Amino acid sequence: MIKAKTYSRSVAPKVEAPKRFRIDDLVIILVVLAIAIFAVKHFISANSDSSLATKAQTHIKGDLASALKSYKNDTGNYPNSRQGLEALVDQPANVSNWHGPYISADALKDPWSMTYQYAFPGRHSAIGQYDLWSMGPDKQTATADDVGNW
């Protein structure tokens, strides 16, 4: 009798097909991403008003104060309220020894694109000094968010 050889077949382990993104997964990722973007944008905008106020304060006590001091050194006085800050850019009538412009016209705008406010003589500052302020983000004068040199 002849015996037949039998071979056993080994079964290869089943290989699963790679998982693919389903629409549900993609929607979840997009929602999480949108929430993250919103949170970052909200954080940045919340801090932007305080950074703009700091910028206005620096400009008031820096560039504008320096320009006003130069104007006073040249002409003997600060511009009056009627002449305003424009006297730093254009020579007012009847002012001698004006050697300006002392600052560019663009520099007369605050970070909220409003014109800086000016009064001489000032009500908040020491006698013989000027008041210089930004109306702040609400663009209204004499409110709590004003940024001034006092």
Side-chain angles (χ1 to χ4, degrees):
M1 217 166 47
I2 300 180
K3 285 190 170 179
K5 280 187 165 180
T6 58
Y7 295 99
S8 66
R9 286 187 172 173
S10 60
V11 177
K14 248 186 176 178
V15 177
E16 289 186 30
K19 287 188 176 183
R20 296 181 183 204
F21 279 110
R22 297 180 316 204
I23 294 291
D24 301 5
D25 299 329
L26 190 58
V27 167
I28 290 171
I29 290 170
L30 290 175
V31 167
V32 169
L33 191 59
I35 291 171
I37 290 170
F38 175 77
V40 168
K41 187 175 179 181
H42 179 70
F43 176 77
I44 289 171
S45 69
N47 290 326
S48 68
D49 278 343
S50 65
S51 67
L52 290 177
T54 301
K55 184 177 179 180
Q57 186 73 29
T58 302
H59 198 222
I60 287 168
K61 292 188 175 184
D63 298 337
L64 289 169
S66 177
L68 284 163
K69 186 174 183 178
S70 295
Y71 180 95
K72 182 182 180 188
N73 288 340
D74 289 348
T75 65
N77 240 332
Y78 291 115
N80 61 40
S81 294
R82 188 179 43 77
Q83 294 165 329
L85 294 174
E86 292 76 23
L88 300 175
V89 178
D90 297 316
Q91 183 174 2
N94 302 325
V95 173
S96 58
N97 293 327
W98 188 88
H99 300 295
Y102 298 95
I103 201 162
S104 72
D106 295 340
L108 300 181
K109 298 278 187 185
D110 69 11
W112 297 275
S113 299
M114 299 296 292
T115 304
Y116 282 102
Q117 305 297 300
Y118 173 79
F120 180 77
R123 293 187 326 200
H124 299 283
S125 300
I127 295 174
Q129 294 296 312
Y130 57 87
D131 287 347
L132 180 59
W133 71 98
S134 165
M135 294 185 284
D138 72 355
K139 301 178 182 179
Q140 305 271 334
T141 195
T143 57
D145 68 343
D146 291 359
V147 178
N149 66 334
W150 55 84

Coordinates of all heavy atoms in Angstrom, one line a residue, residues 59 62-68 70 84-90 98-110 114-116:
H59 N 3.0 106.5 23.6 CA 3.0 107.5 22.6 C 2.8 108.9 23.2 O 3.5 109.9 22.9 CB 2.0 107.2 21.5 CG 2.2 108.0 20.3 ND1 1.2 108.5 19.6 CD2 3.4 108.3 19.6 CE1 1.7 109.1 18.5 NE2 3.0 109.0 18.5
G62 N 5.8 109.8 25.3 CA 7.1 109.7 24.6 C 7.1 110.7 23.4 O 7.5 111.9 23.5
D63 N 6.7 110.2 22.2 CA 6.8 111.0 21.0 C 6.0 112.4 21.1 O 6.6 113.4 20.7 CB 6.2 110.2 19.8 CG 7.0 109.0 19.5 OD1 8.2 108.9 19.9 OD2 6.5 108.0 18.9
L64 N 4.8 112.3 21.5 CA 4.0 113.6 21.6 C 4.5 114.5 22.6 O 4.6 115.7 22.4 CB 2.5 113.3 21.8 CG 1.8 112.6 20.6 CD1 0.4 112.1 21.1 CD2 1.7 113.6 19.5
A65 N 4.9 114.0 23.8 CA 5.5 114.9 24.8 C 6.8 115.5 24.3 O 7.1 116.7 24.5 CB 5.8 114.1 26.1
S66 N 7.6 114.8 23.6 CA 8.9 115.3 23.1 C 8.6 116.4 22.0 O 9.2 117.4 22.0 CB 9.7 114.1 22.5 OG 10.8 114.6 21.9
A67 N 7.6 116.1 21.1 CA 7.2 117.1 20.1 C 6.7 118.4 20.8 O 7.1 119.5 20.3 CB 6.2 116.5 19.2
L68 N 5.9 118.3 21.8 CA 5.4 119.5 22.5 C 6.5 120.2 23.2 O 6.5 121.5 23.2 CB 4.3 119.0 23.5 CG 2.9 118.7 22.8 CD1 2.0 117.9 23.8 CD2 2.2 120.0 22.4
S70 N 9.6 120.4 22.3 CA 10.4 121.0 21.2 C 9.7 122.3 20.8 O 10.3 123.3 20.5 CB 10.6 120.1 20.0 OG 11.5 119.0 20.4
G84 N -4.3 123.5 19.1 CA -4.3 122.1 19.2 C -3.0 121.4 18.8 O -2.0 122.1 18.5
L85 N -3.0 120.1 18.6 CA -1.9 119.4 18.2 C -1.5 119.6 16.8 O -0.3 119.3 16.4 CB -2.1 117.9 18.5 CG -2.2 117.4 19.9 CD1 -2.6 116.0 20.0 CD2 -1.0 117.7 20.7
E86 N -2.4 120.2 16.0 CA -2.1 120.5 14.6 C -0.9 121.5 14.5 O -0.2 121.6 13.5 CB -3.3 121.0 13.9 CG -4.4 120.0 13.7 CD -5.2 119.7 14.9 OE1 -5.2 120.6 15.9 OE2 -5.8 118.6 15.0
A87 N -0.7 122.3 15.6 CA 0.4 123.2 15.6 C 1.7 122.5 15.6 O 2.7 123.2 15.3 CB 0.3 124.1 16.9
L88 N 1.8 121.3 15.9 CA 3.0 120.5 15.8 C 3.3 120.1 14.3 O 4.5 119.8 14.0 CB 2.9 119.2 16.6 CG 2.7 119.4 18.1 CD1 2.5 118.1 18.8 CD2 3.8 120.2 18.8
V89 N 2.3 120.2 13.5 CA 2.5 119.8 12.1 C 2.5 121.0 11.2 O 3.4 121.1 10.3 CB 1.4 118.8 11.7 CG1 1.5 118.4 10.2 CG2 1.3 117.6 12.6
D90 N 1.6 121.9 11.4 CA 1.5 123.1 10.5 C 1.7 124.4 11.4 O 1.1 124.4 12.5 CB 0.2 123.2 9.8 CG 0.0 122.1 8.9 OD1 0.9 121.7 8.1 OD2 -1.2 121.5 8.9
W98 N 8.8 129.1 14.9 CA 8.3 127.8 14.7 C 9.3 127.1 13.8 O 9.6 127.6 12.7 CB 6.9 127.8 14.1 CG 6.2 126.5 14.0 CD1 5.4 125.9 15.0 CD2 6.2 125.6 12.9 NE1 4.9 124.8 14.5 CE2 5.4 124.6 13.2 CE3 6.7 125.7 11.6 CZ2 5.1 123.5 12.4 CZ3 6.5 124.6 10.8 CH2 5.7 123.5 11.1
H99 N 9.8 125.9 14.2 CA 10.8 125.2 13.4 C 10.4 123.8 13.1 O 11.2 122.9 13.0 CB 12.2 125.2 14.1 CG 12.8 126.6 14.3 ND1 13.1 127.4 13.3 CD2 13.0 127.2 15.5 CE1 13.6 128.5 13.9 NE2 13.5 128.4 15.2
G100 N 9.1 123.6 12.9 CA 8.5 122.3 12.7 C 8.5 121.9 11.2 O 9.2 122.6 10.5
P101 N 7.9 120.9 10.9 CA 7.0 120.1 11.8 C 7.8 119.3 12.8 O 8.9 118.8 12.6 CB 6.2 119.2 10.8 CG 7.1 119.1 9.6 CD 7.9 120.4 9.5
Y102 N 7.1 119.2 13.9 CA 7.8 118.5 15.1 C 7.4 117.0 15.1 O 8.1 116.3 15.8 CB 7.3 119.2 16.4 CG 7.8 120.6 16.4 CD1 6.9 121.7 16.1 CD2 9.1 120.9 16.9 CE1 7.3 123.0 16.1 CE2 9.5 122.3 16.9 CZ 8.6 123.3 16.5 OH 9.1 124.6 16.5
I103 N 6.4 116.7 14.4 CA 5.9 115.3 14.4 C 5.1 115.1 13.1 O 4.6 116.1 12.5 CB 5.1 115.0 15.6 CG1 5.0 113.5 15.9 CG2 3.7 115.6 15.6 CD1 4.6 113.1 17.3
S104 N 4.9 113.9 12.6 CA 4.1 113.7 11.4 C 2.6 113.7 11.7 O 2.2 113.5 12.9 CB 4.4 112.3 10.8 OG 3.9 111.3 11.5
A105 N 1.8 114.1 10.8 CA 0.4 114.1 11.0 C -0.2 112.8 11.4 O -1.2 112.7 12.1 CB -0.3 114.7 9.7
D106 N 0.4 111.7 10.9 CA -0.1 110.3 11.2 C 0.1 110.1 12.7 O -0.7 109.3 13.3 CB 0.7 109.3 10.4 CG 0.4 109.4 8.9 OD1 -0.6 109.9 8.5 OD2 1.2 108.8 8.2
A107 N 1.1 110.7 13.3 CA 1.3 110.5 14.7 C 0.3 111.1 15.6 O 0.3 110.9 16.9 CB 2.7 111.0 15.1
L108 N -0.6 111.9 15.1 CA -1.6 112.5 15.9 C -2.8 111.6 16.1 O -3.8 112.0 16.7 CB -2.1 113.9 15.3 CG -0.9 114.9 15.1 CD1 -1.5 116.2 14.5 CD2 -0.3 115.2 16.4
K109 N -2.8 110.4 15.6 CA -3.9 109.4 15.7 C -3.5 108.4 16.8 O -2.4 107.9 16.8 CB -4.1 108.7 14.4 CG -4.6 109.6 13.3 CD -6.0 109.9 13.3 CE -6.5 110.6 12.1 NZ -7.8 111.0 12.2
D110 N -4.5 108.1 17.6 CA -4.2 107.1 18.6 C -4.4 105.7 18.0 O -4.7 105.5 16.9 CB -5.1 107.3 19.8 CG -6.6 107.0 19.5 OD1 -7.0 106.5 18.5 OD2 -7.4 107.4 20.4
M114 N -8.3 107.4 16.2 CA -8.9 108.7 16.6 C -7.8 109.7 16.9 O -6.7 109.3 17.3 CB -9.8 108.5 17.8 CG -11.0 107.5 17.7 SD -12.2 108.0 16.4 CE -12.9 109.4 17.3
T115 N -8.1 111.0 16.7 CA -7.2 112.0 17.0 C -7.0 112.1 18.5 O -7.9 112.1 19.3 CB -7.7 113.4 16.4 OG1 -7.9 113.2 15.0 CG2 -6.6 114.5 16.6
Y116 N -5.7 112.3 18.9 CA -5.4 112.5 20.4 C -6.1 113.8 20.7 O -6.2 114.8 19.9 CB -3.9 112.6 20.6 CG -3.3 111.2 20.7 CD1 -2.5 110.8 19.6 CD2 -3.4 110.5 21.8 CE1 -1.9 109.5 19.7 CE2 -2.7 109.2 21.9 CZ -2.0 108.8 20.8 OH -1.4 107.5 20.9

